[in-house]
Amino acid sequence: QVLLAESGGGSVQAGGSLRLSCAASGDPYSSVCMAWFRQTPGKAREMVATLYSGIWPNDGRAFYAASVKGRFTISQNPDKTTMYLHMDSLKPEDTAMYYCAADRVVTGTTCPAEYTYRGQGTQVTVSS
């Protein structure tokens, strides 16, 4: 069982920055993927970024959606209890509810498309 809690959302003008946090607690896994998703009403959920943690040399490997690559950075604190999403050069189209998610990786080191654990979300609103 893993519990996730997001924070850091808010309202910002286009071009601004925000940092989202995701505090994780519960069962520690040696090989785990964590991810940020976002969703707006009427649109499909979009995977924003993923971060693999566990087996070398893939420990720390990050992946970004094309829509945010170069603007967003996913990271973790050293004890891997908190994940971050640093968002720069925000655009109005980044407005969404942002969720963090986590799942154990049983085989290999590739992050899944679906995740077992998800937080409640934090709203990000970018005005033009």
Side-chain angles (χ1 to χ4, degrees):
Q1 180 76 16
V2 175
L3 298 176
L4 303 171
E6 303 94 337
S7 61
S11 297
V12 64
Q13 287 193 326
S17 299
L18 280 175
R19 189 180 77 164
L20 306 182
S21 299
C22 174
S25 61
D27 296 333
Y29 297 128
S30 59
S31 181
V32 63
C33 275
M34 297 193 73
W36 287 98
F37 290 85
R38 65 186 182 186
Q39 189 161 23
T40 55
K43 290 187 177 181
R45 186 188 66 179
E46 178 186 14
M47 186 282 296
V48 174
T50 65
L51 181 65
Y52 173 73
S53 178
I55 302 172
W56 183 89
N58 293 321
D59 183 42
R61 182 183 64 200
F63 176 83
Y64 299 92
S67 57
V68 306
K69 196 169 186 178
R71 301 187 297 122
F72 290 13
T73 304
I74 189 171
S75 63
Q76 281 182 316
N77 64 346
D79 63 6
K80 300 182 178 180
T81 57
T82 304
M83 178 179 66
Y84 303 100
L85 184 68
H86 192 95
M87 306 183 292
D88 289 323
S89 302
L90 283 161
K91 304 174 181 179
E93 51 263 43
D94 294 318
T95 295
M97 184 69 79
Y98 284 71
Y99 301 90
C100 67
D103 209 340
R104 182 176 59 166
V105 179
V106 177
T107 303
T109 59
T110 300
C111 286
E114 297 294 330
Y115 288 74
T116 301
Y117 306 105
R118 196 182 85 165
Q120 293 299 307
T122 185
Q123 177 69 34
V124 171
T125 302
V126 184
S127 58
S128 58

